[in-house]
Amino acid sequence: MKILLIAGSAMLLPLLTQAAPAAPDTDNPLPVAPVTLTDVRWTAEPADGAQDAPRLRLRHGPSNSDTPLDADRPEFAAAAAALADNAPGPIHFTVSHDAGTLACTGERTSAYAGKGRCRFTADPHFERQLAARGLAPRQRATLLAMLMVDATIEQADGLIREGVRPENADDLIAAAALDITPAYVRDLRSDALVLTRIEDAIACKAMDIDGAYVRDLAAAGYHGLSAQDVVAMKAMGITGAYAMAMNRAAEGNGR
């Protein structure tokens, strides 16, 4: 499960719009040298009653990302192994992702507890792949956010195939942070919902709308609704069962 936290806000957009400007913007789709960020900090927290697994928090500028140290993100396995020992002492670990590599050092104070710093080096091939799809970030430091939320070319291509093309790097980051997969998009589609934009899928996932909810609306007689309509109905607590009950009541009053 991906958990994204933004300093001073519970909203997703600050991560998208405030990626730390450690590297200058570039209009070159084929960067000569990989961007490197040296001011990334990490802290680790053990599992407690509020969380099922230990967590590693990465912080860069205003952006925070909490990653459970479990099987959901295998690229963090080295971090989990380095933090597992209960003995205090210096540690180092590496996180390798399509977007780039984090090389981290620091101090473990006890099992799954500690803090330190990381150096992020972006992968030029990943940048070229993004640029080829029109998804090159305006600020190259945004590539770290892609590692944080597990944004990948595979996800971008899958969403494009499903007809909800990410329009920019921020769209891809939002989709990854909310775990919007091609399978989720396919499941949402029904006679009730017209889904053609990534923004619509993001809005639906943010409201915890799934395929079952949309199919219930279709069964209640709703067809061709926009994502805005469906989001508004979910926000008002309208379910398929409620809609069918209202339909039956209306039919009864019409007799």
Side-chain angles (χ1 to χ4, degrees), residues 89-105:
I91 61 171
H92 62 87
F93 56 87
T94 300
V95 177
S96 296
H97 185 267
D98 291 353
T101 301
L102 276 173
C104 303
T105 59

Side-chain angles (χ1 to χ4, degrees), residues 38-244:
T38 59
D39 54 345
V40 183
R41 298 179 181 273
W42 67 266
T43 56
E45 298 178 357
D48 58 25
Q51 57 192 34
D52 296 331
R55 297 182 184 277
L56 181 72
R57 172 172 292 180
L58 296 173
R59 178 180 291 109
H60 180 247
S63 302
N64 293 339
S65 175
D66 278 7
T67 300
L69 295 176
D70 56 21
D72 283 351
R73 296 291 301 272
E75 61 268 34
F76 283 85
L83 287 161
D85 197 321
N86 196 49
I91 61 171
H92 62 87
F93 56 87
T94 300
V95 177
S96 296
H97 185 267
D98 291 353
T101 301
L102 276 173
C104 303
T105 59
E107 292 287 329
R108 180 185 58 234
T109 55
S110 60
Y112 299 109
K115 62 182 179 179
R117 303 177 70 94
C118 301
R119 177 187 180 92
F120 172 71
T121 304
D123 186 322
H125 176 69
F126 183 77
E127 287 195 75
R128 289 192 291 269
Q129 292 290 307
L130 289 174
R133 291 157 177 80
L135 300 175
R138 291 187 298 273
Q139 292 180 327
R140 294 177 66 199
T142 303
L143 293 162
L144 174 60
M146 292 191 173
L147 179 149
M148 287 178 172
V149 300
D150 194 22
T152 65
I153 297 299
E154 180 182 7
Q155 182 182 22
D157 286 346
L159 294 173
I160 291 169
R161 285 194 299 271
E162 293 301 325
V164 288
R165 172 186 287 274
E167 296 298 326
N168 50 49
D170 291 349
D171 282 346
L172 181 58
I173 291 171
L178 292 171
D179 199 21
I180 297 173
T181 64
Y184 173 75
V185 173
R186 288 193 298 272
D187 191 46
L188 272 188
R189 285 206 170 101
S190 76
D191 290 341
L193 174 62
V194 177
L195 188 66
T196 59
R197 303 185 308 159
I198 188 63
E199 291 89 347
D200 295 338
I202 291 170
C204 287
K205 191 62 181 286
M207 284 297 295
D208 200 26
I209 293 169
D210 58 14
Y213 179 81
V214 177
R215 288 189 291 275
D216 283 348
L217 294 181
Y222 288 96
H223 302 285
L225 295 173
S226 69
Q228 290 86 348
D229 292 333
V230 174
V231 167
M233 293 172 75
K234 182 66 181 289
M236 291 187 291
I238 297 174
T239 65
Y242 174 83
M244 285 189 280

